[in-house]
Amino acid sequence: MWTFLTIGGGVALILFAVRYLRKGLDRLFGPRLGTWMNRLARSRWRAFFTGLGLAVVAPSTTSFSVLAVSAVKSRHLTARQALAVMLGANIGLTAMVLVIALRIEALAPALMLAGVALFQYMRDPRARGIGQTLLAIGFVFLGIAFIENGVAGIRPGTMADIAVVVGVAERYPLLLLVLAAAMANALQSSTATLALIIGLSATGVITLPLGLVAVAGVNLGTGITTLVVGWRDAASRQLAVANLALKLGVAVAIVVLLPYAAAALALVPAGLDARIAVAHTLFNVLVAALGLALLTPLMAIVERGVPLPAEAKPRPFGPRYLNEGTFNTPELVLGLSEKEILHAGDIVRRMLRDIWTALRNDDLELAHQVREMDNRVDTLDTQIRRFLHEAMQNDPELDPAAVAEHIRQLRYLNELENIGDIIDKNLVSVALKKHRLGLDFTDGNWAELEDFYHKVYENLLIAERVFATDSQNLAESLLNHKAYLRDVELQFRDRRLQQPTPEDPEVSAVLLDLVTYLKRINTHITRVGYASLTDD
């Protein structure tokens, strides 16, 4: 009984270590893994090597599955690009199993000692991330040692029973394939599952063919995990189905050709544990080679079998109103451009609202979506300016009222574009920094910030109405709010200086940055009021 508890405890420790490793890598790299993937995965081979490199530094199957699925859901990557990334990642993720097969459990105490020193006593987030990563790797090695000690304590009678079970498994390799896939899917970790298999290899009852089938089953299990994670989104489902189809094809080929595959693997000059780890890597190399060679026809078949719903099919973003027809009347031209500018204003308001939600909830995916929205604002800005320029060129004898309206619209559009840039370049960066440093604000800090934010958001709504109606009363209200916010900002800064217990310098810096950027946004907003009163 104690023997199996020891083995189970080893597996549990490895599972905890893999999840702890995921947290450490998140602390170390923050949102940069997703950003790097989005930037680098622009071609089949670049995507492949991006996945390979990122998976080596972030060896967590579940984390990478979630990362790939999230990139597809947010439309940062297509299913084809993400599949190429995953083919490389599948190979990179085998690095941890290869390290486990080196049987360097004796290093566990040293790794854990260094990890505690960095994580417990250092303030720098990167140093703490390195410490957490070292601790996690030490826990993996310690879990392996538990499994080996448990296996060494198995009684001879029990070993005979295990040998019978192994004999049955060797006669029915497909059953073993399914069981290994189910175990990997249940544990949500290929590393933990293969660590258990490597630990059991010390008993001598696991043969090389049995280990080879188990490796194929574990990889199938991780493919099923990706399918489960991405099932709700059609594009992510395409990615998961293609990934699983490739793994299933290689797994079935291994089972069918098992004697030959085992004979080839026996040529590796190493012990059974190392051969199992090498088999894991070679399995994913074969999957990658097959996937890269058949990427286009495979995805074409998957896209027909798992079609995107009509509303989910990616459509190029563009203006809503500028293409409604060709009009020679300046009033109609300016009417269309005004509607399109209000469309851009809607996007900017959503950006401000969503980045605040991302800051409040530490939502990195939403923060990256805000950055994508700024690209849409830039697209509209370019299209509206071109539309107005061409319209004005075609009618050089415009009356003064049309010229004044043309200038008024461009002024407001310019302020919207500047506000979008502040949100994109500054507020999004603050949200990423807050997450990377693991900063938490007190309820009092949030209350002060929310009051300031809501007033700026309200001013943005007022500015939109001033632009749409040219209301002088609203314009004056906008200017009065500017003075009020200036006073609120000064009080906020004074309170930071007068606190009896100083805040964490990082927290204080982020708070002040947020207020500064909100004030800059409000400055651009109030220019709409100034322009309206001046034009009057």
Side-chain angles (χ1 to χ4, degrees):
M1 180 65 180
W2 286 109
T3 295
F4 291 105
L5 282 175
T6 301
I7 294 173
V11 174
L13 185 58
I14 292 171
L15 282 172
F16 169 77
V18 170
R19 283 153 178 75
Y20 197 64
L21 175 64
R22 191 185 314 158
K23 294 292 185 182
L25 292 166
D26 188 53
R27 183 187 294 272
L28 186 58
F29 295 104
R32 285 174 289 179
L33 287 178
T35 302
W36 292 340
M37 188 165 68
N38 296 339
R39 288 179 179 175
L40 298 175
R42 298 305 181 195
S43 70
R44 180 181 308 186
W45 287 103
R46 286 181 65 184
F48 171 77
F49 285 111
T50 297
L52 178 62
L54 293 181
V56 168
V57 300
S60 169
T61 308
T62 304
S63 286
F64 217 94
S65 296
V66 172
L67 186 63
V69 167
S70 296
V72 174
K73 281 183 177 179
S74 60
R75 304 298 182 258
H76 290 306
L77 294 180
T78 65
R80 296 188 184 204
Q81 290 173 319
L83 179 60
V85 171
M86 287 203 71
L87 293 175
N90 289 337
I91 299 174
L93 291 167
T94 67
M96 178 61 73
V97 177
L98 290 170
V99 171
I100 290 172
L102 294 176
R103 311 307 282 262
I104 50 177
E105 292 87 350
L107 291 179
L111 290 171
M112 293 167 68
L113 182 63
V116 168
L118 289 171
F119 182 74
Q120 190 72 22
Y121 300 108
M122 300 295 289
R123 291 182 59 86
D124 181 67
R126 291 187 180 181
R128 298 193 72 195
I130 293 171
Q132 194 166 344
T133 302
L134 293 176
L135 266 173
I137 296 173
F139 288 153
V140 169
F141 290 150
L142 192 59
I144 291 290
F146 281 175
I147 293 172
E148 291 180 343
N149 290 337
V151 168
I154 296 177
R155 296 176 181 177
T158 305
M159 288 295 297
D161 293 337
I162 293 176
V164 171
V165 174
V166 169
V168 173
E170 287 184 329
R171 287 196 299 274
Y172 302 100
L174 283 176
L175 177 61
L176 175 62
L177 188 76
V178 172
L179 291 175
M183 180 179 291
N185 193 43
L187 294 179
Q188 295 287 293
S189 171
S190 62
T191 302
T193 310
L194 288 169
L196 175 60
I197 294 170
I198 289 172
L200 291 174
S201 68
T203 64
V205 297
I206 293 182
T207 62
L208 184 56
L210 192 67
L212 191 53
V213 174
V215 164
V218 168
N219 281 280
L220 272 183
T222 60
I224 294 170
T225 299
T226 305
L227 184 61
V228 171
V229 170
W231 183 259
R232 293 186 178 182
D233 179 74
S236 302
R237 194 158 61 244
Q238 289 178 348
L239 164 66
V241 168
N243 181 51
L244 183 58
L246 289 169
K247 291 191 173 187
L248 181 61
V250 174
V252 170
I254 286 175
V255 172
V256 172
L257 303 173
L258 186 57
Y260 305 101
L265 195 59
L267 298 176
V268 176
L272 178 59
D273 49 1
R275 286 173 178 169
I276 290 173
V278 170
H280 181 44
T281 300
L282 290 177
F283 180 96
N284 287 287
V285 169
L286 288 173
V287 169
L290 184 65
L292 290 173
L294 302 177
L295 184 62
T296 300
L298 173 64
M299 289 306 302
I301 294 171
V302 171
E303 287 164 4
R304 283 197 295 270
V306 187
L308 295 177
E311 64 274 12
K313 290 181 180 178
R315 291 173 293 181
F317 176 80
R320 287 182 181 175
Y321 307 106
L322 301 187
N323 300 320
E324 287 188 352
T326 302
F327 301 100
N328 296 323
T329 306
E331 290 79 6
L332 292 177
V333 168
L334 292 168
L336 291 176
S337 61
E338 182 181 63
K339 289 171 68 177
E340 201 65 65
I341 292 171
L342 290 172
H343 174 206
D346 287 339
I347 298 174
V348 170
R349 275 195 293 105
R350 287 210 322 271
M351 288 175 65
L352 184 57
R353 180 196 64 204
D354 288 355
I355 192 56
W356 201 257
T357 302
L359 279 160
R360 198 74 163 86
N361 301 334
D362 208 21
D363 189 336
L364 294 185
E365 184 176 344
L366 185 57
H368 287 298
Q369 289 174 10
V370 170
R371 190 154 271 174
E372 182 63 29
M373 280 191 269
D374 184 59
N375 294 334
R376 296 186 171 194
V377 174
D378 291 341
T379 298
L380 291 181
D381 178 73
T382 301
Q383 295 290 335
I384 293 168
R385 290 178 187 278
R386 181 180 296 125
F387 177 79
L388 285 173
H389 176 73
E390 291 175 356
M392 299 302 109
Q393 289 290 104
N394 293 334
D395 191 357
E397 297 182 0
L398 289 173
D399 62 79
V403 172
E405 175 63 12
H406 174 224
I407 295 172
R408 187 183 78 91
Q409 289 189 10
L410 289 180
R411 281 177 178 171
Y412 183 61
L413 180 62
N414 187 61
E415 301 306 336
L416 288 177
E417 204 272 335
N418 286 331
I419 292 169
D421 283 345
I422 294 172
I423 296 171
D424 174 31
K425 295 181 173 60
N426 301 122
L427 289 181
V428 172
S429 297
V430 170
L432 301 183
K433 177 182 178 181
K434 176 178 175 290
H435 173 82
R436 186 178 71 250
L437 299 180
L439 302 180
D440 290 321
F441 297 162
T442 65
D443 291 341
N445 285 336
W446 273 119
E448 289 183 288
L449 285 172
E450 297 254 322
D451 180 64
F452 201 87
Y453 157 75
H454 284 304
K455 184 57 67 175
V456 172
Y457 190 83
E458 179 184 337
N459 286 352
L460 188 55
L461 287 170
I462 294 173
E464 184 176 292
R465 294 303 300 158
V466 169
F467 172 70
T469 64
D470 204 23
S471 167
Q472 302 301 297
N473 290 335
L474 285 176
E476 291 176 358
S477 172
L478 204 56
L479 300 184
N480 292 334
H481 285 177
K482 180 181 181 182
Y484 168 76
L485 282 178
R486 184 184 62 243
D487 294 340
V488 171
E489 183 213 5
L490 291 174
Q491 292 170 14
F492 185 88
R493 292 181 181 277
D494 289 344
R495 279 194 293 272
R496 305 273 79 70
L497 298 174
Q498 296 170 8
Q499 284 183 342
T501 304
E503 290 176 326
D504 181 329
E506 293 286 0
V507 170
S508 183
V510 168
L511 290 170
L512 292 175
D513 284 344
L514 287 173
V515 171
T516 297
Y517 298 139
L518 287 172
K519 182 185 175 186
R520 284 177 55 193
I521 289 172
N522 194 66
T523 298
H524 289 288
I525 292 171
T526 53
R527 285 178 184 170
V528 178
Y530 277 123
S532 180
L533 293 175
T534 302
D535 292 342
D536 187 59

